[in-house]
Amino acid sequence: MSKLTRRAFLGGTAAIPLSLWLPGCNGGGGGNGSNGVEGEGPTGPTGTGPSPGALVRHDTRSPEGQAMLEIYAQAVNQMKTAIAEGDPLGWVFQWYTHAVRNDRTKAGEIARIYPTASPDRDLANDMWNTCRAHFGPPEDDFLPWHRMYVFFFEQIIRQVSGNDEFTLPYWDYSVADPALHGVIPPEFRQDGDPTFGSLFVGKRNSGVNAGQAIDQGEPGNPLSTSALGECGYSQQGVIPGFNRRLDFGLHGNIHVLTGDSQNMGSVPWAAGDPIFWMHHCNIDRLWASWNAAGRVNPSTAAWLDQEFVFADRDGNRVVGKTADFTSIAPLGYTYDRLEPVPPCPPAPAPMDDVPVVVQPRTAARAQPISLTAGAVRATLAPPPAELDEQPAPPLGDQVRALEDKRLYLVARGLATDAQPGVLYHVYLGLPDGTNPAAGGEHLVGTLNFFGFGAHGDDMSHDAYYSFDVTDLAKQLEADGRLGGSPSLTIAPVGTPASEAQPVVGEVTLVEQ
Amino acid sequence: MLLTAVAALAPAFLACAGPGATVATASEDDGMIAVAAGPIELSELPSRVRLAPSGDRPLAAELEALGPDRRLYLVLRGLSASAPPGVLFHLYLGLPAGAEPATDDPRHVGSLNFFGATPVDGGTRPPGPAADWQSFEVSRAVRSLGERGLIGEAIELTIRATGSPTEGARPVIGRVELVVQ
């Protein structure tokens, strides 16, 4: 505890950017391996190697995790009983960073705890009630804000415990073993215990502190990690994406099933329960698992440049920027185990890998279609014949002559400066003036720009979408609605990000 | 064989949004094929919600016209509660009235919680994005019902709480949609 006296307040608007703070962030530690864990990497199927000196966060049920819980319990006891609630290293200050208890207000609590101006009061003003996304959109900030929150809290536990190699253990409630599935670790259920009593909270749901699974009797599997199957980070239309599905699904379910409306089950009270941190350590592990499987975080400046205020282990104001928290490796920690992540449907394949015949002369004629916030219409016109070629027969004749062959609409050369965050519906032969939402029979498929890079990237030129439009083209021709130059309509589902500037390089009809 | 190419996209394409445009800008209603207008107040008793087709055709016909690779989402919009209900609400599609589903009933399509959907800071600030909308992919469940002829004009959603919501919580869903993406 002697290290607490080293705390040097920075006043007013002073702050330490993370880039300057990180080199010294582990105090004297940073992981020298004396706990025998330095250099251990995730052992899960999707794990990637840790950074040198990375400290390992363990499962609460492992021997290492149980040892960490003992350190944690002692530190929590100190934070609750020996450190003032207005001190950035105190329990209440850390709890209120997530949200101030709901029978009081932030303004009222600041006035009560800090009757006079002080740097800590300024810091409380900046930090309390900042949980994302409860206290402000965008929803995509849920994961990085909580990664920062857990990261700096872990630093504070190191400081308070005097153990520079402490790592927060995670609560893996989704584990399949029925003896462990949904069961809160025993260290959190020992009321009055001299070692672990600080981790006990009485206001958990009935049966939870008796070791009953929190989802006992619940249909389905509300503790499922199925959010890992999401292929994109952000929502696209009504597809929630990984961040949103994890937040509103598993994450919220754990809160509600663990505690009541003055405990884990309510945003303003949740971080007052010591199990909160093991829950969010696990949420952070799932994000790390998702990334380790190759899933990609947003790349927009709007997301990467977000900054949030926290207190470091010395109680100093520190500003965390999302760009510095998108990967755990630079942060000096890893997990003993990552979760397997289901594969995504195959991305659009490179041209050489699929048997679609596109005549070389087509590529030279590519013209970009710039997608906008509204529907975009284009005309599929016959290709001009080369000098030594006969003009192509009318499109209708070719469609009628398809016989056993299929007709594909191929969109190539997709590129975007940033992810649009929406899907795009593609329509063939949609009559002019028809609302795309009412044009279902003309809908041939959906485009998304996941996996497509910025304009000029090689990747943007060797992958494409292809939609089988045989039946639709035959029907349009039979109805006399195909014509020689049918229309193509591409409409966003929702409002695309303004900075995205998505482009489809070329669209062709191909017989195969 | 190449049949047709876009030969002159730049001059040919046009953006259809704008004043007087007859082709509407995409909205959150795009892809919606069935809807139940709320509000739907939840309680300890099962709530049954009829998702009626948003177009002219019966829902079964609408679904049949969809390609097999289209994804269907149950979208719950406008969640609100005075206080945390303290329970999960389980969502079932095609459950007959009065049925008591087993815990592994295949008609179970998701679990809804209201965490983050209640006011904060002493009730002085509105809830976060959790209250806006939540979605659940129901493609497999809907197709299974369709293949067995259990979807006709509309489809029934049943919402069942596990236990009793906290007294006075008044959990409400503003609107339910079935959306194709």
Side-chain angles (χ1 to χ4, degrees), chain B residues 20-178:
Chain B
T22 52
V23 178
T25 301
S27 73
E28 65 179 22
D29 285 345
D30 277 356
M32 184 177 71
I33 59 172
V35 62
I40 303 154
E41 184 163 344
L42 307 178
S43 71
E44 71 276 15
L45 299 174
S47 300
R48 285 181 62 79
V49 180
R50 184 174 186 269
L51 286 161
S54 51
D56 298 331
R57 294 193 290 185
L59 186 57
E62 193 73 43
L63 292 168
E64 197 172 324
L66 296 174
D69 59 340
R70 305 301 301 283
R71 294 161 74 180
L72 294 162
Y73 285 84
L74 186 69
V75 184
L76 313 180
R77 298 190 189 277
L79 277 59
S80 66
S82 303
V87 295
L88 298 186
F89 296 91
H90 296 281
L91 312 172
Y92 297 86
L93 283 176
L95 193 70
E100 288 292 331
T103 55
D104 60 350
D105 192 297
R107 292 164 293 194
H108 182 270
V109 294
S111 306
L112 173 69
N113 70 71
F114 278 73
F115 187 75
T118 53
V120 289
D121 200 18
T124 63
R125 293 182 62 161
D132 296 343
W133 61 271
Q134 299 189 26
S135 67
F136 303 84
E137 186 176 4
V138 296
S139 311
R140 185 176 301 175
V142 169
R143 291 205 167 90
S144 173
L145 290 169
E147 287 164 7
R148 289 182 287 149
L150 298 176
I151 298 177
E153 183 71 24
I155 191 170
E156 294 284 342
L157 169 69
T158 303
I159 307 171
R160 296 172 61 94
T162 305
S164 298
T166 303
E167 190 174 345
R170 299 199 62 198
V172 170
I173 299 170
R175 170 186 170 100
V176 182
E177 300 169 359
L178 189 61

Side-chain angles (χ1 to χ4, degrees), chain A residues 47-64:
Chain A
T48 57
S51 59
L55 294 176
V56 180
R57 291 181 179 172
H58 296 276
D59 190 324
T60 51
R61 307 304 179 124
S62 69
E64 296 90 343

Side-chain angles (χ1 to χ4, degrees), chain A residues 102 106 133 218 220 236 238 244 248 253 362 367 373 375 377-378 380-381 398 407 433 436-437 443 492-493 507 509 511, chain B residues 1-6 9 13-14 16 22-26 30 70 90 92 103 113 115 121-122 129-130 133 135 162 181:
Chain A
N102 218 30
K106 175 179 174 180
E218 298 283 348
Q236 293 203 341
V238 297
R244 190 181 187 97
F248 299 161
N253 291 347
T362 308
Q367 297 281 346
R377 283 175 66 84
L380 288 163
Q398 297 183 69
L407 184 66
L443 183 62
V493 184
V507 178
L509 283 174
E511 170 192 322
Chain B
M1 175 184 182
L2 174 71
L3 298 185
T4 301
V6 179
L9 279 173
F13 88 81
L14 58 118
C16 297
T22 52
V23 178
T25 301
D30 277 356
R70 305 301 301 283
H90 296 281
Y92 297 86
T103 55
N113 70 71
F115 187 75
D121 200 18
W133 61 271
S135 67
T162 305
Q181 284 218 289

Side-chain angles (χ1 to χ4, degrees), chain A residues 93-416:
Chain A
F93 196 106
Q94 288 298 310
W95 161 9
Y96 282 4
T97 296
H98 186 259
V100 173
R101 54 188 288 178
N102 218 30
D103 58 348
R104 302 172 187 175
T105 64
K106 175 179 174 180
E109 283 295 85
I110 285 181
R112 179 183 69 81
I113 295 172
Y114 307 101
T116 59
S118 71
D120 281 351
R121 187 175 73 172
D122 294 338
L123 189 55
N125 255 319
D126 289 344
M127 278 180 65
W128 292 0
N129 278 357
T130 57
C131 168
R132 292 297 186 274
H134 301 308
F135 289 94
E139 167 61 24
D140 278 353
D141 290 339
F142 165 69
L143 285 171
W145 187 90
H146 284 87
R147 173 167 285 172
M148 295 180 202
Y149 189 33
V150 168
F151 176 83
F152 289 112
F153 180 82
E154 183 178 63
Q155 297 284 336
I156 287 171
I157 297 295
R158 288 176 188 165
Q159 177 78 343
V160 173
S161 68
N163 188 322
D164 283 333
E165 299 189 1
F166 170 81
T167 52
L168 275 169
Y170 60 88
W171 177 23
D172 183 6
Y173 25 70
S174 305
V175 64
D177 183 345
L180 302 176
H181 176 90
V183 177
I184 196 170
E187 291 85 354
F188 292 82
R189 302 187 247 127
Q190 300 180 29
D191 189 14
D193 184 84
T195 301
F196 294 110
S198 64
L199 306 184
F200 178 85
V201 174
K203 289 188 174 182
R204 296 183 186 131
N205 289 340
S206 175
V208 172
N209 281 332
Q212 177 180 300
I214 61 173
D215 63 340
Q216 183 168 306
E218 298 283 348
N221 181 7
L223 310 192
S224 165
T225 59
S226 58
L228 290 167
E230 290 287 329
C231 298
Y233 180 97
S234 306
Q235 71 178 74
Q236 293 203 341
V238 297
I239 299 174
F242 175 65
N243 175 81
R244 190 181 187 97
R245 183 167 167 190
L246 186 63
D247 184 1
F248 299 161
L250 175 64
H251 161 252
N253 291 347
I254 296 299
H255 275 284
V256 170
L257 293 173
T258 301
D260 69 9
S261 60
Q262 289 194 342
N263 179 245
M264 281 281 280
S266 174
V267 171
W269 294 87
D273 188 330
I275 195 64
F276 172 95
W277 305 92
M278 284 65 227
H279 172 30
H280 273 280
C281 193
N282 194 49
I283 293 296
D284 186 71
R285 185 179 70 97
L286 295 176
W287 184 18
S289 301
W290 192 78
N291 282 148
R295 303 291 208 278
V296 180
N297 295 327
S299 58
T300 62
W303 187 73
L304 292 167
D305 291 346
Q306 280 282 11
E307 293 183 337
F308 304 104
V309 175
F310 291 93
D312 70 7
R313 60 185 292 157
D314 293 319
N316 294 328
R317 185 180 193 273
V318 60
V319 178
K321 185 175 180 180
T322 293
D324 294 322
F325 285 83
T326 58
S327 169
I328 62 174
L331 300 174
Y333 70 89
T334 185
Y335 288 97
D336 63 353
R337 181 169 54 85
L338 297 180
E339 292 297 318
V341 175
C344 280
M351 286 299 287
D352 291 341
D353 291 347
V354 294
V356 174
V357 178
V358 178
Q359 295 185 356
R361 62 193 176 111
T362 308
R365 236 180 266 118
Q367 297 281 346
I369 306 174
S370 296
L371 304 184
T372 70
V376 173
R377 283 175 66 84
T379 299
L380 288 163
E386 300 294 336
L387 289 176
D388 57 348
E389 289 182 340
Q390 293 293 320
L395 178 60
D397 293 350
Q398 297 183 69
V399 169
R400 282 193 300 274
L402 279 172
E403 296 183 344
D404 294 336
K405 293 185 176 179
R406 307 296 293 177
L407 184 66
Y408 294 90
L409 187 145
V410 180
R412 298 191 302 167
L414 275 66
T416 184

Side-chain angles (χ1 to χ4, degrees), chain A residues 67-87:
Chain A
M68 292 299 169
L69 284 181
E70 192 167 338
I71 298 167
Y72 178 59
Q74 292 167 356
V76 169
N77 184 50
Q78 289 283 336
M79 293 170 75
K80 286 181 172 179
T81 62
I83 302 175
E85 60 184 348
D87 188 315

